Amino acid sequence: MAARSWKFHAGRLLLMVPGILLVGWLAGYPLEVLAMSLLAYLAWHLANLWRLYRWLQMPGSEVPESYGIWSDVYERIASLEKDNQKQKDQYRGMLAEFRQLTDAFPDATLVMDAQRNITWFNQAAQALLGLRSPQDLGKPVTNLLRGPDFANWLAVQGQVKSPLEMPSPRDDNVWLTISAFAFQKDQRLIILRDNTEVHNVERIRRDFVANISHELRTPLTVLQGYLEMLQDNESPEVSDSVARMLSQTAQMQMLLYDLLELSRLQSDEIRGEEEVIDVPGMLMQLQEQADELSRGRHQLVFEVDSGPWLSGVATDLESAFGNLLSNAIKYTPDGGTIKVSWREAGPGPQLVVEDTGIGIPKRDIPRLTERFYRVGSDRARQTGGTGLGLSIVKHVLNAHQATLTIESEIGEGSRFTCTFPPERRLDESA
Ligand code: ADP
């Protein structure tokens, strides 16, 4: 029966009052009959209220039979309950679908809260990382993926960071590529992919380049030695050719040195020790080297009186900063200015190397850190570059969770900015 409005029920009740009064008047006790009727009406409501209470305590039980306003109340509650159940079934279906979907993901996926505790993971995470549900829920993610590399990488907040490569906690021969994405408030989605095959191919390539570079060094040194002996030949024709050969061997030496340096940086086994670095002190030494390289042809301005220190690999950072500085000197014509500054900036400690040199075309900027990439081979050949310098810089910065930004205008100059995460900043007194 369709529910009637409460106005209908109230109207019916009001109509009954004169009837009761009439019966009472006829019986000679109008007030007593009215009081008795009201008492009976109250008892009926109380009984129904009790039935309603009992019914609500037993979900799923039959809707109690009643009439009048109570029949409408039961009907309304039953219909709300039905809608509620329908919605619940719908949500359950969606949740089951979502589970099936995430379990179909080939990559291990887990969710971490602000305290770095695991709040959810999919089936691939159980297989790849040996996570167990529900025992591992709520445990710190750093219990699972141990080591300073992961902790340092995770500590970098609010920046686009490149994925981390590390061995699986279950098997050292399995290599994982880990990416993290922030979502909702303070939550992070961590995706781990088995990258062993690519890692192995990459290692073979790296080892090959490192071995061949190493093997080439000895014959090249011998060749250079003989050429130096022939340098003072009386015949100008011979000494001219020898000088050219010597310059080519020097170029090859540089190339081998850079290749070996790059292989070393890419190798996970031979990473240098992290230490406290006095960056202003390091830059003072680099200033001396820059003076030697420029030989007074440029104005060198260093703004590094004081500034933050860093935690990192000193030799690697020195090589990266040195590369940026030597590039600025190489690609700035005589009379130009090179400015180096080291300061605490908003996003973290920053090294800026700025020059008033030849500049870089916009289209080349995104590719500069690729191995052997040069802007116009003629230009680079003149300067004797290897095309590996900025790859080295990029590698060193990646290993320190730092970013490289390149801005440049043709004919006006270039600015290279290295931004370190605040987590790497150390106070001078540390
Ligand atoms: P290279 O050994 O050739 O200098 P790098 O990897 O260091 O190799 O640099 C790649 C290319 O980027 C260079 O060939 C050069 O064209 C360009 N480049 C790098 N630094 C600068 C700079 N400060 N000003 C202009 N061009 C630059």
Side-chain angles (χ1 to χ4, degrees):
M1 193 178 69
R4 289 180 171 130
S5 77
W6 70 272
K7 276 187 190 157
F8 169 81
H9 293 291
R12 202 165 64 172
L13 192 67
L14 279 176
L15 278 178
M16 278 169 75
V17 174
I20 292 167
L21 281 174
L22 185 67
V23 171
W25 181 69
L26 286 177
Y29 304 102
L31 284 180
E32 286 83 346
V33 170
L34 184 65
M36 294 278 283
S37 307
L38 285 177
L39 217 63
Y41 186 63
L42 189 67
W44 178 69
H45 273 306
L46 279 175
N48 272 297
L49 210 57
W50 171 244
R51 284 170 73 200
L52 174 67
Y53 177 73
R54 295 281 307 275
W55 177 55
L56 290 179
Q57 281 199 321
M58 288 184 290
S61 61
E62 281 276 301
V63 184
E65 287 275 336
S66 191
Y67 56 90
I69 195 165
W70 281 102
S71 154
D72 289 355
V73 168
Y74 287 134
E75 223 176 277
R76 186 83 195 105
I77 295 178
S79 128
L80 282 176
E81 171 80 13
K82 226 192 219 162
D83 288 351
N84 206 0
Q85 193 59 42
K86 223 193 228 158
Q87 231 169 30
K88 262 194 202 162
D89 289 346
Q90 234 174 17
Y91 288 144
R92 246 185 233 130
M94 275 161 69
L95 198 66
E97 245 177 63
F98 173 75
R99 285 223 174 100
Q100 281 168 7
L101 188 82
T102 53
D103 284 343
F105 277 179
D107 299 339
T109 312
L110 47 95
V111 174
M112 187 184 86
D113 63 15
Q115 283 72 44
R116 298 183 182 175
N117 294 329
I118 302 170
T119 54
W120 175 87
F121 52 81
N122 69 349
Q123 224 165 44
Q126 304 188 21
L128 195 66
L129 306 168
L131 282 174
R132 290 153 310 148
S133 182
Q135 296 95 314
D136 289 319
L137 287 173
K139 288 201 180 148
V141 73
T142 38
N143 274 12
L144 173 75
L145 298 159
R146 291 167 190 276
D149 279 358
F150 180 68
N152 284 341
W153 178 80
L154 207 59
V156 180
Q157 303 262 16
Q159 292 177 18
V160 181
K161 51 182 175 185
S162 32
L164 174 75
E165 288 231 347
M166 68 177 278
S168 154
R170 295 189 88 189
D171 182 353
D172 278 354
N173 295 316
V174 173
W175 276 79
L176 303 173
T177 300
I178 312 178
S179 318
F181 307 92
F183 79 104
Q184 278 195 343
K185 199 175 170 275
D186 293 338
Q187 302 227 53
R188 271 190 281 176
L189 182 74
I190 309 236
I191 298 180
L192 304 101
R193 172 171 294 176
D194 181 344
N195 205 23
T196 313
E197 243 171 79
V198 177
H199 184 270
N200 286 346
V201 171
E202 184 66 12
R203 204 197 55 223
I204 294 169
R205 183 193 62 75
R206 232 173 26 230
D207 289 353
F208 173 75
V209 172
N211 288 338
I212 205 107
S213 314
H214 194 73
E215 292 301 323
L216 281 173
R217 273 172 81 173
T218 318
L220 198 60
T221 315
V222 174
L223 200 66
Q224 214 168 9
Y226 279 116
L227 284 173
E228 274 164 14
M229 272 164 54
L230 288 171
Q231 211 174 8
D232 304 324
N233 196 290
E234 277 156 27
S235 146
E237 238 170 64
V238 174
S239 73
D240 207 36
S241 313
V242 168
R244 252 181 281 149
M245 281 192 266
L246 262 174
S247 113
Q248 292 299 317
T249 48
Q251 173 76 11
M252 276 200 250
Q253 288 274 22
M254 251 165 45
L255 190 60
L256 292 185
Y257 174 84
D258 276 358
L259 276 173
L260 280 169
E261 179 72 354
L262 202 54
S263 307
R264 188 188 66 78
L265 288 168
Q266 289 175 325
S267 152
D268 312 290
E269 293 88 35
I270 346 173
R271 282 264 308 275
E273 285 283 314
E274 298 242 333
E275 56 196 295
V276 177
I277 308 172
D278 167 8
V279 181
M282 176 187 277
L283 289 173
M284 266 166 66
Q285 283 182 7
L286 283 173
Q287 185 172 9
E288 283 171 23
Q289 292 173 21
D291 281 335
E292 263 173 49
L293 208 62
S294 162
R295 276 184 260 114
R297 290 177 294 131
H298 309 95
Q299 197 194 345
L300 297 174
V301 184
F302 274 69
E303 290 178 356
V304 282
D305 301 342
S306 66
W309 289 23
L310 278 185
S311 133
V313 183
T315 46
D316 292 357
L317 283 178
E318 191 171 343
S319 152
F321 296 169
N323 261 310
L324 290 179
L325 203 50
S326 70
N327 273 353
I329 294 170
K330 262 195 304 193
Y331 299 107
T332 301
D334 295 359
T337 304
I338 290 143
K339 203 168 111 188
V340 177
S341 66
W342 173 244
R343 54 165 195 236
E344 179 64 57
Q350 255 180 6
L351 177 91
V352 183
V353 180
E354 235 172 311
D355 63 54
T356 56
I358 55 175
I360 305 159
K362 290 264 177 300
R363 64 169 191 281
D364 291 305
I365 292 180
R367 300 196 57 193
L368 285 187
T369 55
E370 287 175 22
R371 266 167 293 200
F372 297 114
Y373 192 82
R374 287 153 167 183
V375 181
S377 45
D378 283 342
R379 201 164 79 142
R381 225 171 274 146
Q382 267 175 21
T383 56
T386 61
L388 291 172
L390 289 178
S391 306
I392 293 176
V393 173
K394 182 81 181 150
H395 260 91
V396 171
L397 294 185
N398 269 354
H400 288 81
Q401 298 81 41
T403 53
L404 176 68
T405 322
I406 308 172
E407 298 151 279
S408 191
E409 282 296 332
I410 279 284
E412 291 191 12
S414 314
R415 182 189 298 132
F416 290 76
T417 309
C418 312
T419 309
F420 290 84
E423 293 77 12
R424 287 212 167 259
R425 179 193 198 286
L426 294 175
D427 287 327
E428 203 174 322
S429 53

